[in-house]
Amino acid sequence: MEHKIHQGRNVKRFREMLGIKQEALAFDLGEDWNQKKISLLEQKEVIEDPLLQRISEVLKIPVEAFQNFDEQAAINIIANTITNNDNGAVYNHNPIFQPIDQLLKLHDEKIALYERMLKEKDEMMSRLEKLISTK
């Protein structure tokens, strides 16, 4: 028995994980969309590729996620990779991302942004000083 991926349900799952309401998604998709159309879209098992691509761009999630995410498979993977010790602690022995690396990357980006802002402020101040001194 082949289990089919329900793309509309996946759109709904990812939208909810991102904390986006149907109305907001409809607004981002354009004037032709409203909350009711999003609700109907999320009930469709298969979504046309151009529309799925547009949703992917709006939610910033790869198209493949909507096409391939299988909740039952994810539950099986989680159930088989998480060890539940007798004391009730749960520990994933195979993390797929390193949060410290992400924090350091965000910190570096914040510092770079701050330095750009300071440089722009200095340039603006120097232009203002030139304007004031020429009068």
Side-chain angles (χ1 to χ4, degrees):
M1 182 174 96
E2 185 180 322
H3 177 71
K4 288 195 166 195
I5 305 295
H6 195 290
Q7 294 176 356
R9 199 173 300 131
N10 285 343
V11 168
K12 179 178 180 178
R13 282 189 187 102
F14 287 111
R15 176 185 59 74
E16 288 176 342
M17 280 190 259
L18 293 170
I20 298 173
K21 295 200 174 287
Q22 288 179 333
E23 296 87 359
L25 179 56
F27 179 80
D28 289 341
L29 287 175
E31 292 180 14
D32 296 344
W33 288 90
N34 58 40
Q35 182 273 324
K36 180 71 174 164
K37 280 181 78 172
I38 297 295
S39 179
L40 292 172
L41 171 82
E42 290 176 350
Q43 295 173 26
K44 292 176 71 173
E45 188 166 331
V46 177
I47 299 172
E48 305 78 31
D49 286 341
L51 178 55
L52 207 54
Q53 180 64 39
R54 180 69 183 120
I55 294 168
S56 168
E57 292 167 4
V58 167
L59 295 180
K60 296 176 177 56
I61 292 177
V63 172
E64 294 79 15
F66 302 115
Q67 294 171 331
N68 301 325
F69 180 76
D70 182 3
E71 183 178 34
Q72 191 57 47
I75 290 170
N76 288 341
I77 290 169
I78 292 168
N80 292 326
T81 58
I82 292 184
T83 304
N84 189 0
N85 298 325
D86 291 338
N87 64 1
V90 176
Y91 179 77
N92 182 355
H93 296 279
N94 301 311
I96 58 173
F97 71 97
Q98 298 296 327
I100 299 298
D101 294 342
Q102 294 296 320
L103 276 174
L104 290 173
K105 180 181 171 191
L106 287 173
H107 176 72
D108 292 342
E109 290 173 3
K110 185 174 87 173
I111 296 298
L113 174 63
Y114 181 70
E115 289 172 350
R116 276 196 317 270
M117 289 172 61
L118 284 176
K119 183 179 176 188
E120 289 176 14
K121 178 197 69 102
D122 291 341
E123 290 171 358
M124 182 75 71
M125 292 300 291
S126 115
R127 279 184 269 169
L128 286 173
E129 287 171 357
K130 286 179 186 175
L131 280 173
I132 292 172
S133 65
T134 59
K135 290 187 178 186

